[in-house]
Amino acid sequence: MKGRYDSAPRTPPPQGPKHVVLAVDDDHNNLKLVSASLTLEGYEVVCASSGEEGLEVLEARQIDLLLLDVRMPGLDGLEVCRLIRAQPKFARMPIVFLTADNADVEHTIAGLDAGGDEYLHKPISRRMLSARVRNLLRLANADRERQLLLQVAQSEKLAAVGQIAAGVAHEVNNPLSFILSNLESLRGYVNDLMRVVRAYRMNSETGAALDRTLGLDNLMSDVSPLLDETVQGGSRVRAIVQELKTFSRQDTDTFEPVDLAEVARCTLVLTEREVASKATLVKELSMARVDLAPRQKLHQVMLNLLVNAIHAIEAKPAPPGERHTIRVSTRTENDVAILQVQDTGIGMPESVKSRIFEPFFTTKPVGVGTGLGLSVCAMVIDRLGGRITVESEAGKGTTFTVRVPCDAEMRPAPTPPARAAVG
Ligand SMILES: Nc1ncnc2c1ncn2[C@@H]1O[C@H](COP(=O)(O)OP(=O)(O)OP(=O)(O)O)[C@@H](O)[C@H]1O
Ligand SMILES: [Mg+2]
């Protein structure tokens, strides 16, 4: 049955495991108080009664947030905080100082300078503590999620490059072999020409005789097309290298005007031969300009959709005498830039279609698919206020449609890191 799914927000993920808070204080009553109040809020609280013990706990188990008394015998809170911040693995850990010191600016600044995020004065109100802890954990979670998505996007990009590496080797090898063979012919021609010039310099008769023997007229008419072909080959290699550079560049997220037609064209520079060897490639590339978008990421989206289309046609042999079709089209409709990748491949049953935007969902064998391609596509497009939708029929084929508002002003306010897209 034909159906549509999209990357629109889904139900929020179930609550994860409890956050773990480490409270370090030499005063047992304080520890009891803090622990009781945060346990009531649903946190797991681990207590340590000295700075040294706190450091041991931090090494031994996963802690999400640290509450640190300032004045303690042995290592005091400020020293503990400095020691923790000196370790890159704890650079992002939220740290809240709890202190009985006067609420003066100097103490607070000393705490913040040591690397603390908050400075709370005792007696601490239960509501204040709970609000600060909740806010800091929310920020830390958003930060962690962002880091994770960046990693996923980067590894996905590397995987995509890996997947096309063989194709690229072939792409570069072809023009290079005819460039080399043309240069070999041109070397022979130049040698013959020099021999004839030398002969003419001796006397015109010897020169004319050698000219005829070597068939200089034919040779000269051959030179120009050979040179043209060689230059074309070189340009092709340069275009491929240029395109590869886009993929290998670190993710800088530069936003610039991007035409989806151009993105499609560039991605096809790398893959066109491979696609054309397996299917009839139809290109309908009309202008589809988006005023501000990360070009690299859109290349990645296009490549992911194309690789999926290739896999889909490989999974279903074309009927005898027929060829599969992969159609890549771009256009603008009502201020929305549209990119479509359509294939006549294996298609998807409902059970697959409903899960394709889930990270790591794949029906492909290990080593072929990681299941990240479409979730990354959805994340990229979602951040541009766009949509990626799919229409598919098992055994018939699939169409992915990417829609992005042309004008950044028309986009909805950015959502928190892509939860809606990859949820
Ligand atoms: N054009 C298509 N035709 C049929 N099925 C598709 C198509 N595109 C995606 N799928 C299905 O969606 C699944 C998820 O696709 P996705 O691109 O996210 O991961 P993948 O292709 O399996 O692995 P990779 O991370 O290498 O891209 C695929 O395993 C496949 O079952
Ligand atoms: Mg894929």
Side-chain angles (χ1 to χ4, degrees):
M1 220 200 46
K2 213 165 180 169
R4 297 170 72 95
Y5 285 84
D6 62 34
S7 61
R10 297 175 215 133
T11 40
Q15 280 281 284
K18 278 186 183 179
H19 282 117
V20 185
V21 174
L22 168 62
V24 184
D25 200 319
D26 59 323
D27 181 330
H28 288 273
N29 286 334
N30 278 340
L31 279 181
K32 255 201 216 154
L33 221 75
V34 164
S35 173
S37 131
L38 290 178
T39 308
L40 267 179
E41 299 281 334
Y43 299 104
E44 180 182 343
V45 181
V46 184
C47 295
S49 50
S50 69
E52 291 80 352
E53 191 188 338
L55 288 175
E56 275 170 29
V57 175
L58 268 179
E59 287 298 335
R61 56 174 301 179
Q62 171 71 38
I63 299 294
D64 297 308
L65 183 141
L66 177 60
L67 297 174
L68 205 47
D69 182 26
V70 175
R71 289 198 189 277
M72 291 183 288
L75 278 179
D76 72 17
L78 296 181
E79 283 168 275
V80 173
C81 186
R82 280 189 210 104
L83 287 172
I84 291 172
R85 286 296 189 230
Q87 298 188 55
K89 63 179 174 180
F90 295 131
R92 292 164 185 277
M93 151 113 34
I95 300 179
V96 180
F97 281 116
L98 307 178
T99 177
D101 289 336
N102 293 337
D104 68 49
V105 175
E106 287 310 314
H107 278 114
T108 311
I109 289 177
L112 298 178
D113 275 351
D117 297 295
E118 292 278 359
Y119 204 87
L120 298 183
H121 295 272
K122 297 175 189 172
I124 290 155
S125 108
R126 183 179 271 194
R127 284 176 56 210
M128 175 70 87
L129 178 65
S130 141
R132 293 288 158 98
V133 166
R134 193 172 52 241
N135 281 352
L136 283 174
L137 284 173
R138 181 172 47 75
L139 290 176
N141 277 350
D143 186 43
R144 202 174 302 142
E145 194 173 341
R146 199 173 144 266
Q147 292 299 324
L148 201 71
L149 285 165
L150 281 177
Q151 274 170 18
V152 163
Q154 188 60 21
S155 65
E156 162 66 10
K157 185 158 64 177
L158 291 178
V161 171
Q163 242 166 358
I164 58 166
V168 170
H170 174 80
E171 292 292 310
V172 172
N173 209 25
N174 248 1
L176 265 189
S177 10
F178 69 71
I179 288 172
L180 288 175
S181 114
N182 287 2
L183 283 176
E184 206 46 58
S185 309
L186 285 165
R187 195 214 310 255
Y189 289 178
V190 170
N191 278 341
D192 287 354
L193 268 173
M194 290 195 305
R195 280 175 63 197
V196 173
V197 170
R198 272 191 221 107
Y200 268 116
R201 281 185 182 163
M202 278 198 279
N203 66 62
S204 55
E205 273 167 31
T206 322
L210 192 59
D211 187 341
R212 275 193 304 279
T213 317
L214 294 177
L216 222 57
D217 283 338
N218 284 345
L219 179 154
M220 285 192 297
S221 62
D222 231 19
V223 167
S224 188
L226 265 185
L227 281 175
D228 285 348
E229 211 180 275
T230 310
V231 169
Q232 265 172 25
S235 308
R236 183 156 174 76
V237 173
R238 188 174 54 193
I240 292 167
V241 169
Q242 205 61 37
E243 190 52 25
L244 271 184
K245 274 206 281 192
T246 358
F247 281 103
S248 61
R249 216 179 282 163
Q250 273 292 316
D251 233 346
T252 47
D253 253 8
T254 311
F255 279 66
E256 55 189 320
V258 180
D259 183 354
L260 296 186
E262 206 46 48
V263 169
R265 246 178 242 122
C266 285
T267 311
L268 284 168
V269 167
L270 284 178
T271 44
E272 182 157 359
R273 244 175 243 210
E274 158 129 27
V275 175
S277 70
K278 294 177 174 150
T280 304
L281 176 65
V282 181
K283 290 186 275 183
E284 292 162 347
L285 304 178
S286 306
M287 195 159 84
R289 269 177 82 86
V290 178
D291 66 349
L292 282 178
R295 181 185 302 275
Q296 261 62 267
K297 291 220 164 111
L298 290 172
H299 275 285
Q300 203 183 332
V301 168
M302 169 69 197
L303 184 67
N304 287 343
L305 295 179
L306 207 57
V307 170
N308 280 350
I310 296 174
H311 286 162
I313 58 167
E314 283 174 342
K316 181 197 152 205
E322 287 181 30
R323 289 201 89 202
H324 276 302
T325 303
I326 292 181
R327 183 183 303 270
V328 177
S329 60
T330 56
R331 62 185 185 280
T332 308
E333 261 173 30
N334 305 324
D335 287 333
V336 174
I338 298 177
L339 163 73
Q340 236 168 8
V341 179
Q342 195 173 20
D343 67 70
T344 53
I346 185 100
M348 290 174 250
E350 289 291 328
S351 54
V352 170
K353 211 166 17 182
S354 58
R355 300 194 56 199
I356 53 174
F357 292 108
E358 287 174 23
F360 302 108
F361 173 81
T362 182
T363 55
K364 297 171 189 173
V366 179
V368 177
T370 56
L372 286 173
L374 287 173
S375 49
V376 168
C377 291
M379 175 182 77
V380 172
I381 301 305
D382 203 65
R383 284 190 175 162
L384 291 173
R387 275 273 166 106
I388 172 164
T389 53
V390 59
E391 289 172 72
S392 184
E393 204 171 344
K396 290 263 171 77
T398 300
T399 305
F400 279 96
T401 307
V402 172
R403 290 186 178 81
V404 181
C406 296
D407 186 350
E409 304 266 299
M410 306 295 288
R411 292 175 200 155
T415 47
R419 184 174 284 292
V422 296

